[in-house]
Amino acid sequence: MFRAFLLEQANGQPQGFSARLATLEDADLPPLNEGDVTVAVQYSTLNYKDGLALTNKAPVVRAWPMVPGIDGAGMVLESRHPDWRVGDVVVHNGWGVGETQWGCLAEKTRLKGAGLVRLPLAFSPRQAMAIGTAGYTAMLCVLALEQHGATPASGEVLVTGATGGVGSVAVALLSRLGYRVTAATGKAAQADYLKALGASAIIDRAELAAPGKPLQKERWAAVVDAVGSHTLVNALAQTRYGGVVTACGLAQGMDLPGTVAPFILRGVTLVGIDSVMAPLPRRQRAWDRLARDLDPVMLERMTEEVPLSAALEKAQQLMAGQVRGRIVVKIAD
């Protein structure tokens, strides 16, 4: 017997949606052909996608019933995969888990061994989930900025959605690497929090959220954007000649209501960041860099821990914009 959050949809109708903490049996686990490694999950986390799934705010879940939780860290209980043995401690991010395959907001789950990453020695399972997909995505953004020539000497870096999970980790990473970071947020009360993470300046997200000119005053050498829509378009319009912008989120919207002007007149590079299906070598590189470059003190400063039983309530707060930083879910009592 084990506990898990179970999402159900009666008769395939959205109005029949329910999310509850259920007690399940091993026989309820997905068959081994869907996941060849059985994991005792110690910690999970709440990302934006988890919030969408738990509150049914968007059609994230595509198979029913579903256990949500795109991230998990824990110990291998059983393995039919050659890379993993009983007792190994692993981390999981993405790969459709919590959407088409059972996820990690459960005391036990089955995952595909090919998608697992060995827990870096620098991190505990709790710290790995304080990072989670959000922090791992932030690291992918930093790697992309570096790949396209951004350095601390290049100039100011903008981070949008800065009090969110991706934004918080991005601010902490970039500032520790020596960049001057400007954080965009709609939460003026969190200015001290962002400065403690390393932001050198704070701007109101309203400066970026409305339609703007195709080209604006050059300001940013690089951008990490987790917001999309007009915010991303304005960030592009304000990026300096030859600068680079990474896009990894859609908190404001999926649309991109802009022009090609920043690309053809200023040589700006827009890099899409996908964390869900990123190949294993790229994942491993990101985790290795997180182990080297993320200050554990800063990580703890942005982290809140809740028990599994509180995951639904915290997801509702997340979707209402009442959460900052990272939420760790402690699975076992």
Side-chain angles (χ1 to χ4, degrees):
M1 307 283 281
F2 64 97
R3 297 182 308 153
F5 255 98
L6 192 65
L7 308 182
E8 296 176 294
Q9 194 178 72
N11 301 318
Q13 300 299 314
Q15 59 267 32
F17 172 84
S18 66
R20 61 187 176 92
L21 186 57
T23 299
L24 305 177
E25 299 182 359
D26 285 3
D28 295 316
L29 284 166
L32 285 169
N33 63 344
E34 293 184 15
D36 48 11
V37 179
T38 305
V39 176
V41 184
Q42 297 168 343
Y43 289 91
S44 185
T45 182
L46 292 177
N47 298 288
Y48 187 73
K49 187 176 288 185
D50 300 313
L52 291 173
L54 279 161
T55 61
N56 202 32
K57 293 289 187 181
V60 171
V61 176
R62 298 193 293 276
W64 303 91
M66 178 58 62
V67 171
I70 66 175
D71 290 339
M75 184 177 294
V76 174
L77 296 175
E78 179 186 5
S79 175
R80 296 190 179 186
H81 192 281
D83 290 347
W84 304 108
R85 297 182 179 181
V86 173
D88 286 343
V89 183
V90 296
V91 177
H92 186 278
N93 304 108
W95 291 118
V97 163
E99 302 173 68
T100 59
Q101 306 167 55
W102 277 29
C104 299
L105 283 172
E107 292 174 336
K108 188 182 296 187
T109 193
R110 281 203 176 117
L111 302 168
K112 293 181 178 179
L116 297 173
V117 172
R118 198 171 302 278
L119 178 72
L121 293 176
F123 298 128
S124 67
R126 181 184 184 278
Q127 289 173 316
M129 288 299 96
I131 296 168
T133 285
Y136 145 66
T137 301
M139 189 73 246
L140 291 175
C141 290
V142 172
L143 291 172
L145 296 185
E146 293 175 346
Q147 181 182 351
H148 287 83
T151 69
S154 300
E156 205 170 359
V157 178
L158 172 68
V159 176
T160 67
T163 60
V166 173
S168 292
V169 179
V171 169
L173 283 169
L174 289 164
S175 62
R176 194 179 194 202
L177 290 168
Y179 292 85
R180 287 187 296 113
V181 181
T182 293
T185 180
K187 301 175 182 178
Q190 299 298 332
D192 289 343
Y193 163 77
L194 290 169
K195 289 179 179 178
L197 294 181
S200 57
I202 314 293
I203 63 171
D204 193 318
R205 69 183 178 197
E207 294 184 28
L208 299 164
K213 295 180 179 178
L215 285 177
Q216 301 170 33
K217 182 179 178 180
E218 295 180 60
R219 182 167 183 183
W220 319 115
V223 178
V224 173
D225 177 65
V227 178
S229 192
H230 291 292
T231 296
L232 174 55
V233 170
N234 285 315
L236 287 163
Q238 295 173 12
T239 298
R240 291 164 50 177
Y241 189 93
V244 56
V245 177
T246 57
C248 64
L250 44 67
Q252 186 179 7
M254 289 185 65
D255 57 326
L256 192 65
T259 74
V260 298
F263 311 121
I264 64 174
L265 297 179
R266 289 184 180 164
V268 172
T269 299
L270 176 60
V271 183
I273 303 297
D274 166 56
S275 61
V276 177
M277 304 303 291
L280 196 57
R282 191 179 303 164
R283 291 169 181 264
Q284 191 65 62
R285 184 180 176 212
W287 278 99
D288 290 345
R289 282 289 302 273
L290 284 161
R292 190 190 82 181
D293 295 330
L294 183 59
D295 184 346
V297 174
M298 291 300 176
L299 180 62
E300 186 60 32
R301 182 169 284 164
M302 68 180 80
T303 300
E304 176 186 357
E305 181 180 311
V306 299
L308 180 60
S309 58
L312 177 57
E313 178 184 0
K314 187 57 65 173
Q316 292 167 340
Q317 294 174 15
L318 174 63
M319 299 313 297
Q322 299 169 354
V323 168
R324 76 176 190 190
R326 301 290 298 125
I327 304 299
V328 167
V329 180
K330 185 178 182 181
I331 300 299
D333 289 330

